[in-house]
Amino acid sequence: VGAGAGELGGIGVGASVGVTAVRGAALAHLDGVATVGGDLVISARHRADFHSDAIIGEAGLATAGAGVAVVVDRSVQAAYIGDGAEILRAGSIEVSADRSYVDFELLVVEAQVGLIGAVGASIASARVLGATQAYIGDATVGDPDAATVPVGGVRVEATSAAAPKARAYAGSGGLTLAGDGTRADAYVTPTVEAYYHSTGGPRAVGAGSESVNRIGGDLTILSNSTAEPDAVTLGIAVAGGIAVPVSLPTAIASPTVRAYVGSDSRVRVIGNGSSDPETATGRLTLGAVAADDPRATGSGAAGAVGLAFEDSVSVATNKTTLDAYIGDGAEVTANTDVIVQ
């Protein structure tokens, strides 16, 4: 997205605005009955490339202008095995959802020159919201009537990596007054979650059936977040009388990252497929991981014969929520380790 404006004359007022809102969904799911001779892979991917520029310049007797660029990504990625589904046989099962970006960058440049006075504003806002989810619902995993364990290892993973950059620059010059405000916001606040929530599914109830899912390999449930919002502002004002630039960059990393086995779920993690608990090697791993690094950099310069005042307030906040757990009433049997981290 690009926007631009320019004016030269007596009294000038102008604006350059670019706004993009994304609400798409990437979905991959299985809701029926499947018998797979090899591996079963269910994957949802979102890989975006966002650029937005707003540039404005004016010169005249007195000028005022604003440049604005906004991009908000509310997209949802979901990969899942739905309630009521039956995976009777599979070498292994992988359910994964992923969000990433080729690039995510906003640039706003605003310049004002007025013989009497000049004021301007430059605003850039880049935000990552939405959700990335991978899960197994109340499904049957493995034929419960089979003599041997018919499903190998199961991996459920959700990954989100976002590094939005917001840049806002402004410059103003006037004989009497020069003032400009720059604001850049970069937020990463999505939900990232991976979970297993099955009581055994529709085939796991009734005579001759085991009311628990059996997994012949390991069960791995992981949620990963990398949030690196970056906000940069620069304001410069020069005047014969009063010069006031204000710079306000804000970067917030606040994803909610969860990995869990849901309440009342039932699963037996056997490992190498052995029905003998003495030799089985099953492992359950639950992990919620974040590598978040918000950055905010604000600077300004003011020069005036009369009064020069520059103010810059930079805010970088990491409020990530991490949660890995086994829910109330869940029954999980693993023949070796249960790792929750």
Side-chain angles (χ1 to χ4, degrees):
V1 176
E7 187 169 345
L8 179 65
I11 297 177
V13 178
S16 176
V17 179
V19 178
T20 301
V22 179
R23 296 178 178 270
L27 306 177
H29 54 97
L30 190 154
D31 299 298
V33 179
T35 300
V36 183
D39 299 329
L40 173 62
V41 178
I42 301 171
S43 177
R45 296 285 183 268
H46 170 81
R47 185 167 171 81
D49 190 0
F50 296 133
H51 291 271
S52 184
D53 299 334
I55 300 174
I56 181 170
E58 295 182 303
L61 184 64
T63 62
V68 179
V70 178
V71 174
V72 180
D73 184 0
R74 299 178 182 272
S75 63
V76 173
Q77 305 81 48
Y80 60 91
I81 297 174
D83 294 346
E86 299 179 36
I87 314 302
L88 300 182
R89 185 175 74 243
S92 66
I93 297 175
E94 178 180 325
V95 181
S96 63
D98 179 86
R99 177 208 297 263
S100 63
Y101 298 89
V102 176
D103 202 2
F104 194 153
E105 186 162 1
L106 280 63
L107 172 66
V108 180
V109 179
E110 177 271 333
Q112 304 290 321
V113 178
L115 183 61
I116 296 175
V119 293
S122 180
I123 300 170
S125 181
R127 304 193 178 206
V128 177
L129 309 174
T132 302
Q133 299 172 310
Y135 63 90
I136 296 176
D138 197 8
T140 298
V141 179
D143 187 345
D145 296 322
T148 59
V149 180
V151 171
V154 175
R155 185 179 184 90
V156 183
E157 185 168 11
T159 302
S160 175
K165 300 177 180 63
R167 307 280 190 267
Y169 305 129
S172 59
L175 185 61
T176 302
L177 171 67
D180 54 59
T182 57
R183 177 169 179 170
D185 296 333
Y187 292 0
V188 180
T189 61
T191 297
V192 185
E193 61 180 1
Y195 62 89
Y196 171 98
H197 196 176
S198 177
T199 60
R203 290 287 302 279
V205 178
S209 292
E210 226 181 286
S211 58
V212 61
N213 283 332
R214 295 177 297 163
I215 295 174
D218 295 334
L219 174 57
T220 303
I221 303 171
L222 299 175
S223 287
N224 302 284
S225 169
T226 301
E228 298 177 331
D230 189 5
V232 178
T233 58
L234 171 64
I236 299 174
V238 179
I242 301 173
V244 182
V246 178
S247 183
L248 302 172
T250 302
I252 295 178
S254 182
T256 298
V257 186
R258 291 190 291 257
Y260 61 93
V261 174
S263 301
D264 300 318
S265 295
R266 304 191 68 189
V267 61
R268 181 174 299 161
V269 186
I270 296 173
N272 59 6
S274 172
S275 59
D276 181 357
E278 297 298 326
T279 60
T281 60
R283 169 179 293 179
L284 168 65
T285 301
L286 287 173
V289 181
D292 301 335
D293 183 19
R295 298 180 294 272
T297 306
S299 56
V305 176
L307 173 65
F309 174 77
E310 182 273 328
D311 190 21
S312 178
V313 179
S314 301
V315 178
T317 304
N318 188 344
K319 298 191 295 183
T320 300
T321 299
L322 294 174
D323 203 0
Y325 63 92
I326 297 174
D328 292 341
E331 297 180 20
V332 179
T333 302
N335 286 95
T336 55
D337 301 326
V338 174
I339 302 171
V340 180
Q341 58 188 11

